[in-house]
Amino acid sequence: MRSIDEHKDVFGVEPICRVLTAHGALIAPSTYYAAKSRPPSARTMRDGQLRAAITRVWKENYEVYGADKVWLALNRQGISTPGAPWSG
C-alpha cells in the first residue's frame, strides 16, 4: 500500500492497480480504498507500542543490545512480548 501511496499522485490508484493485477498481484482499487479507511487493527496498534519500547530499550543500552537482551529487558520491565526471539 505504501508504494501506491507514493505514486498515486503521479499515476493514479486505478492505473497502478491495473498494472499490479497484470503482473499477478490482484489488487482492486476498492481494496486499496477499503484498507485506507479501515481503522488500525489491534495487532498493528500493539506492534507500534512494542516498536517504541524496543527502540527505547535499545537506545538506553547504547544501541548494542541484540534481540535476546532487548527481549529480556522488556520482560524485566513488565512489558509482555510475544515469545522469545530465539528458537530452540
Side-chain angles (χ1 to χ4, degrees), residues 14-34:
E14 290 78 9
I16 292 172
C17 290
R18 260 195 313 276
V19 170
L20 291 171
T21 298
H23 287 86
L26 304 174
I27 300 174
S30 60
T31 302
Y32 167 80
Y33 292 121

Side-chain angles (χ1 to χ4, degrees), residues 44-64:
T44 300
M45 299 296 287
R46 177 70 176 147
D47 285 353
Q49 293 167 345
L50 280 176
R51 185 175 294 111
I54 289 167
T55 301
R56 178 184 50 77
V57 166
W58 184 65
K59 286 188 178 293
E60 286 173 356
N61 291 283
Y62 308 101
E63 301 179 2
V64 296

Side-chain angles (χ1 to χ4, degrees), residues 68 84-88:
D68 295 354
W86 57 86
S87 60

